[in-house]
Amino acid sequence: MKKWILKALAGILVLYAAAGFFGVPYVIKNIVPEKVFDATQGGIFSVQKASFNPFTFRLKIQNLAFKTPKNSDFVHVKTFVINVNPVDYAWKQGWVVSDIRIENPVVTIHKDAQGEMNFGWLSKLGEDTNDSNESSQPLALLIHQFTLRGGMVHYIDQSDGKNYRQSIDSIGFHLENIDLRDASNSKGVMRVYASINEGGFVDLRGKIAGLKPFALNGSVAFDSGKLYTPWRYLKEKLPIEVADGTASFGFNYALSTEDINATVLSNVHMELNRLRILRKAEQTKLLNLQSVTIADGTVWPMRKVFESPRVK
């Protein structure tokens, strides 16, 4: 009897392992694309390689791609990894995600000659209204760590005879310790950063003090790089031209939806250097500014108040 029970348990374990190691990757590579195609009315989803460990609950997907119905590039992810610990659900009363990692995601945004965006077909999805009056319950979810790194966005605009291309790369996002079970007592931290062409960057950091009410404090730093590069997108529509110059700014912030009027931006600083603006037709100078600096400023945006002891 005991041997029969052991053999039965061993057989169940083998079936479970086979379903996890082989069944889950098969479903992701062969079944999910069909479901995505139907759900998105033609979106093309593909995965080059998938692996799943049913004992550690670690899923890894490589070269995930989601293309438009016209088979043009939209989203590509080199590596996606998620680690879930289902055992913790019993004693933490929530799903525990120890790690989510997205590496080298690339998003392509394309506006064609007719002015249509390559993601336009998605806006037509999900138009059915939900008449349910039942209030939704918060998701019992804990995320220890969420990381996105090496991201890139390509923007292409070919409307109105343009052939404008701009890329933002080195995009990163990091989030820690988000507990949706107790939204009033979240202690998460986050960071968003990216590099812009011609030496620019954006770096946003924050500490999530609560989700209900939402409370966040942190800092923002931005550098435009050469202003002429992004100006190329607007120059056809305006009679002026930004010929040179750089801009940068930064500040600390604190906000809470409990009292939005108390939102404050502190240590506000901004620098403009070597800004030249020309009248396009005559190529004559409208503005030739060597430098402008604002430092140690404070802004109460909801009260429309700005103070700075140093402007030069």
Side-chain angles (χ1 to χ4, degrees):
M1 184 66 177
K2 184 181 293 187
K3 288 184 177 180
W4 182 87
I5 294 175
L6 291 175
K7 288 182 178 180
L9 291 176
I12 293 172
L13 184 62
V14 170
L15 289 175
Y16 172 77
F21 283 116
F22 303 105
V24 172
Y26 177 85
V27 169
I28 293 174
K29 293 183 64 176
N30 298 279
I31 306 301
V32 172
E34 297 178 4
K35 300 297 183 182
V36 172
F37 184 89
D38 294 338
T40 62
Q41 298 180 10
I44 303 171
F45 178 86
S46 64
V47 170
Q48 184 186 65
K49 186 177 181 180
S51 61
F52 179 71
N53 189 322
F55 301 107
T56 62
F57 282 83
R58 181 179 187 268
L59 173 66
K60 182 177 181 179
I61 297 174
Q62 293 177 285
N63 289 321
L64 178 155
F66 181 46
K67 296 188 175 184
T68 71
K70 297 180 180 180
N71 201 30
S72 59
D73 292 337
F74 184 35
V75 177
H76 180 272
V77 177
K78 183 178 180 180
T79 304
F80 172 81
V81 177
I82 181 169
N83 288 287
V84 180
N85 190 348
V87 178
D88 285 346
Y89 186 90
W91 63 281
K92 289 193 175 181
Q93 298 301 304
W95 294 105
V96 178
V97 179
S98 58
D99 180 40
I100 300 175
R101 179 162 43 92
I102 301 174
E103 295 183 354
N104 303 115
V106 178
V107 177
T108 301
I109 301 174
H110 184 200
K111 189 175 184 180
D112 64 21
Q114 288 73 41
E116 296 183 1
M117 305 299 293
N118 64 334
F119 56 82
W121 101 99
L122 290 175
S123 63
K124 302 175 183 178
L125 306 177
E127 293 181 348
D128 296 336
T129 57
N130 185 4
D131 298 327
S132 175
N133 294 322
E134 296 182 3
S135 59
S136 60
Q137 296 296 320
L139 183 63
L141 177 66
L142 297 86
I143 301 176
H144 290 318
Q145 187 166 264
F146 180 99
T147 302
L148 181 153
R149 59 191 178 199
M152 180 175 292
V153 175
H154 294 305
Y155 178 67
I156 305 168
D157 188 347
Q158 295 178 312
S159 63
D160 301 323
K162 295 192 295 287
N163 189 19
Y164 177 81
R165 298 171 183 267
Q166 176 75 17
S167 294
I168 302 175
D169 57 18
S170 302
I171 298 172
F173 177 75
H174 186 72
L175 187 68
E176 291 182 7
N177 301 325
I178 297 299
D179 187 348
L180 298 183
R181 298 172 310 163
D182 186 1
S184 63
N185 190 32
S186 182
K187 300 297 181 183
V189 296
M190 71 171 188
R191 185 187 180 196
V192 181
Y193 55 91
S195 296
I196 308 171
N197 284 359
E198 305 293 344
F201 68 87
V202 59
D203 190 349
L204 187 154
R205 305 180 186 220
K207 181 176 178 60
I208 302 172
L211 295 176
K212 191 177 181 181
F214 181 73
L216 180 70
N217 57 74
S219 64
V220 172
F222 170 83
D223 192 301
S224 68
K226 293 182 179 180
L227 285 173
Y228 176 75
T229 301
W231 180 258
R232 289 180 300 162
Y233 185 65
L234 300 173
K235 69 177 184 177
E236 301 297 331
K237 301 179 180 180
L238 297 174
I240 62 174
E241 180 175 347
V242 176
D244 198 3
T246 62
S248 63
F249 67 83
F251 54 84
N252 299 328
Y253 64 88
L255 62 92
S256 172
T257 56
E258 188 174 26
D259 184 6
I260 198 66
N261 290 321
T263 300
V264 61
L265 311 180
S266 59
N267 193 28
V268 178
H269 58 91
M270 183 183 72
E271 296 83 27
L272 285 172
N273 292 299
R274 299 184 303 279
L275 179 62
R276 288 194 303 127
I277 299 179
L278 307 177
R279 193 189 308 273
K280 191 183 299 182
E282 297 88 1
Q283 288 292 300
T284 57
K285 292 181 181 179
L286 289 177
L287 180 64
N288 191 0
L289 187 64
Q290 287 300 311
S291 67
V292 172
T293 301
I294 297 175
D296 301 326
T298 303
V299 179
W300 288 270
M302 305 307 297
R303 303 175 189 174
K304 300 180 180 179
V305 175
F306 169 68
E307 297 177 354
S308 178
R310 295 173 56 194
V311 178
K312 62 179 183 178

